[in-house]
Amino acid sequence: GRTGGADPADPADPDAISFHMEDPGYRGALLMARNQGLDVHFHPADPDGLDAARLGDAPAIAFTTPAHQYPLGYRMSVERRVALVEWARRTGSLVIEDDYDGEFRYGVAPLPALATLPGAEGCVAYVGTSSKSVAPDLRVAWCLPPAALRREVEKWLAVHRRGPSSLPAEALGGFMSAGAMDRHLARAARVYSDRRARLVAALARECPTVDVTGVEAGLHLCVLLPGYDDDDVVRALERAGWRTRSLSSQSARFRLSGLVLSYSRLAARDADAFAEALRGVLDELRDPG
Ligand SMILES: Cc1ncc(COP(=O)(O)O)c(C=O)c1O
């Protein structure tokens, strides 16, 4: 914790703790960091994951989504994982590992969670949620902080009334211990794998020149649209009845143009219709200059 009279919202506060995150990145983490008066440092999202060599030697907090970078969907390499834990140990830093959709992988081997790597016990806080694996309305999530932070985290959750409500948490616990969660995840993974495959195939057919990222895991993928104003694309798709999210809306300093496409509820016939709509919009908006 920090003391002193400086405005915690003032980014120039010399006592502010540094908070490292990838950009584009998860807006929820950025909002949290800004609310806490942390000094936010953005690092361009890299297909290999957050690079510890960029993070300096001062104790800091690094937030990352290694299983499926939000939003671009990259999977952090094992080398970068090991280096990030090693950096945190060496500098006395904290890594927040947000494993928000790691339950879903498609034909690729699992990679070790940062929290399971040697030396991670004292410096990695592992965070998970039921929002993707079960339902966002459940509002149950979990956090395994390093032992030294545990009491502080429990106190903060109690004071701010931000812990999960106990009734759904206990129900989910029962669901898990009865083995029902494993069956649910196996079934859900087949459904999502199918939806993902149809969307990927439809995009390859209708928009073959567009780069697609993040297809190996999770419940969304991205299409990169350099040269387009992605917010214009989002608005045009919305007029055609499709809700998407622009990559630039998830960017701060390192702006990328593209779309975040969630396919968890995309019915089979809709994948083709969506890809056709996207092709139409891209044709219409091409060469705006
Ligand atoms: C990167 C990331 N982390 C965490 C979450 C989950 O947040 P919550 O558990 O509050 O639904 C989300 C949800 O969309 C997310 O995209």
Side-chain angles (χ1 to χ4, degrees):
R2 45 190 301 290
T3 54
D7 176 5
D10 178 1
D13 178 356
D15 296 332
I17 295 169
S18 292
F19 180 88
H20 299 283
M21 66 178 286
E22 290 150 293
D23 184 28
Y26 179 44
R27 311 312 279 168
L30 176 58
L31 280 175
M32 187 268 309
R34 291 242 159 96
N35 277 335
Q36 296 300 316
L38 302 178
D39 180 17
V40 179
H41 298 257
F42 295 108
H43 302 278
D46 175 324
D48 286 329
L50 187 60
D51 182 359
R54 300 181 51 98
L55 305 184
D57 296 320
I61 300 171
F63 171 87
T64 183
T65 46
H68 193 233
Q69 198 270 344
Y70 189 84
L72 287 160
Y74 300 137
R75 301 206 312 147
M76 186 186 282
S77 71
V78 173
E79 292 74 15
R80 290 266 167 100
R81 287 171 195 247
V82 170
L84 191 59
V85 170
E86 168 50 30
W87 164 82
R89 258 167 69 93
R90 181 170 56 78
T91 59
S93 295
L94 175 70
V95 174
I96 301 175
E97 176 175 28
D98 178 8
D99 194 6
Y100 65 106
D101 68 359
E103 291 86 355
F104 301 109
R105 262 182 296 106
Y106 311 105
V108 290
L111 295 167
L114 297 174
T116 66
L117 293 175
E121 314 81 57
C123 58
V124 175
Y126 177 87
V127 183
T129 178
S130 60
S131 284
K132 306 291 178 186
S133 59
V134 186
D137 286 339
L138 198 57
R139 306 316 298 155
V140 177
W142 43 90
C143 174
L144 284 90
L149 288 179
R150 205 184 155 129
R151 275 181 63 98
E152 200 65 31
V153 169
E154 281 169 358
K155 215 165 72 189
W156 190 93
L157 290 173
V159 167
H160 293 87
R161 301 186 62 75
R162 292 286 291 278
S165 57
S166 56
L167 213 58
E170 276 171 34
L172 184 63
F175 192 66
M176 286 176 170
S177 53
M181 183 73 158
D182 293 335
R183 290 193 294 277
H184 158 73
L185 286 176
R187 203 164 46 230
R190 284 196 296 275
V191 172
Y192 294 145
S193 174
D194 196 49
R195 291 180 179 173
R196 159 194 165 278
R198 285 173 193 273
L199 178 59
V200 169
L203 288 169
R205 195 179 57 244
E206 297 295 330
C207 313
T209 60
V210 163
D211 279 331
V212 179
T213 70
V215 299
E216 293 177 333
L219 299 177
H220 74 269
L221 53 79
C222 287
V223 295
L224 303 181
L225 301 174
Y228 286 91
D229 179 329
D230 54 2
D231 288 316
D232 283 348
V233 178
V234 167
R235 280 188 287 269
L237 286 168
E238 200 169 312
R239 286 193 292 275
W242 299 102
R243 186 142 46 89
T244 59
R245 183 176 277 184
S246 70
L247 269 183
S248 64
S249 72
Q250 312 297 301
S251 312
R253 233 159 62 90
F254 301 101
R255 205 156 266 271
L256 279 187
S257 174
L259 299 177
V260 185
L261 303 179
S262 168
Y263 49 78
S264 60
R265 293 190 291 172
L266 190 70
R269 65 179 180 286
D270 291 346
D272 294 330
F274 171 78
E276 284 163 26
L278 178 60
R279 175 171 53 95
V281 165
L282 295 182
D283 285 347
E284 181 190 310
L285 295 177
R286 180 160 295 139
D287 300 322

